[in-house]
Amino acid sequence: MPQPPAVLPLGTLVALGGGDDDAMLALLGELLPTPETSVEIVTAASWTNAAMTGAAYERSFRELGCPAARHLPISEHQPADAPATLRRLARAGLVFFSGGDQERLLELLAGTEFARQLRQRFYDDENFMVAGTSAGAAALPEQMIIDGYGWRSLRKGGIKTGPGLNLLPRLFIDQHFAERGRFGRLAHALLAHPACLGLGLAEETGIIVRGGRHATVFGDGVATVMDASGVHGTNVGRIGRGEPVSGQNLRLHLLVAGQQLDLVSREIGDSALH
């Protein structure tokens, strides 16, 4: 079993596997400490129509009784470290990342003061929330899967991974998991990074993580948990590109709404959503 992280965040993280996100937005509205809490909507993962996406989320949050929801533009022409952007981050009670392309999102945020302050607030402020759907969810942990499709994802070189926003340590989150057949790429990622836990979220299915440790499943689908801490016999480090990967003793759990995963002990339990 990997050693627990030295420090866990105090903030709350909510991640959805994509699809219809109405239930997630309603849940976020309920979790906000007050209706007037500032909500910043980041659509930087979108290659096109980022402004339209931001406006649509603004309307959705305001219909849920959150009048302080605003689109926070971040792009090649609107840098994340602009003083006004950092001031808005400092006042936010929730930062919400929409879907799109997680690699693009990290290209715009990696190494920025925005990313540093986001992580610091998430670790230091128990009232602060970060949420994401689809690519916005995949980018939240320490690591993220960028690419990998079908049977090719079980061959050396068939996936691409990279650093995420590092809000939760030793974790991969993969999205659209059941719908797009992503079991192979998450399994391969864990064989290559056995200290990490893998969480595959089906569409309209998500997790709420409190205190960096206790993850409770919500939604209509299945959350697939993969644990490679006991894997042995893996060949990932000695095979050539294009050869199939192997490993034994990869543990698997299928969780549904109300079940809870301890991200540190990796134990499974049941917990009512609060």
Side-chain angles (χ1 to χ4, degrees):
M1 178 67 63
Q3 292 297 310
V7 179
L8 289 172
L10 297 177
T12 297
L13 181 144
V14 182
L16 187 78
D20 189 325
D21 52 19
D22 287 350
M24 178 200 194
L25 298 181
L27 179 61
L28 291 172
E30 294 172 3
L31 292 172
L32 291 175
T34 71
E36 291 75 26
T37 299
S38 176
V39 177
E40 297 292 354
I41 301 157
V42 179
T43 60
S46 299
W47 283 101
T48 58
N49 299 323
M52 291 177 60
T53 300
Y57 276 114
E58 281 184 359
R59 289 193 297 272
S60 295
F61 274 108
R62 290 174 181 175
E63 288 169 1
L64 291 167
C66 305
R70 295 190 299 164
H71 178 218
L72 181 58
I74 296 175
S75 68
E76 291 83 356
H77 307 293
Q78 297 164 300
D81 287 350
T85 299
L86 295 178
R87 285 195 296 270
R88 287 174 60 175
L89 173 62
R91 294 192 297 266
L94 165 64
V95 176
F96 174 80
F97 292 95
S98 68
D101 181 341
Q102 57 265 38
E103 188 172 25
R104 170 175 166 77
L105 179 60
L106 265 295
E107 285 175 353
L108 293 170
L109 294 184
T112 63
E113 181 64 14
F114 182 97
R116 190 194 69 78
Q117 291 187 20
L118 179 79
R119 187 175 189 275
Q120 182 174 346
R121 285 207 61 201
F122 184 66
Y123 268 72
D124 295 346
D125 186 349
E126 63 181 359
N127 295 314
F128 185 60
M129 286 195 294
V130 180
T133 182
S134 188
L140 299 179
E142 178 181 0
Q143 299 286 337
M144 66 179 184
I145 300 175
I146 298 167
D147 202 1
Y149 299 95
W151 63 269
R152 294 177 182 84
S153 65
L154 285 173
R155 293 184 176 272
K156 185 70 174 285
I159 65 167
K160 181 181 178 182
T161 64
L165 290 169
N166 197 21
L167 299 183
L168 292 175
R170 302 173 189 170
L171 181 69
F172 283 98
I173 295 177
D174 207 356
Q175 75 278 30
H176 307 284
F177 191 71
E179 294 77 8
R180 300 186 186 178
R182 290 179 166 174
F183 180 96
R185 76 182 202 172
L186 183 56
H188 188 165
L190 293 183
L191 293 178
H193 301 270
C196 291
L197 193 66
L199 185 59
L201 299 177
E203 293 179 3
E204 298 168 30
T205 306
I207 55 165
I208 303 172
V209 183
R210 294 180 172 89
R213 178 166 187 166
H214 300 292
T216 304
V217 179
F218 69 90
D220 297 331
V222 175
T224 301
V225 180
M226 292 188 200
D227 181 358
S229 60
V231 162
H232 57 84
T234 179
N235 66 354
V236 171
R238 62 178 187 273
I239 59 174
R241 186 176 182 86
E243 295 186 68
V245 301
S246 73
Q248 293 80 57
N249 205 38
L250 180 66
R251 298 179 67 211
L252 178 71
H253 307 288
L254 301 177
L255 305 184
V256 296
Q259 291 188 289
Q260 189 176 84
L261 167 68
D262 187 321
L263 296 176
V264 176
S265 71
R266 304 190 175 183
E267 297 296 322
I268 306 298
D270 293 296
S271 174
L273 277 174
H274 297 291

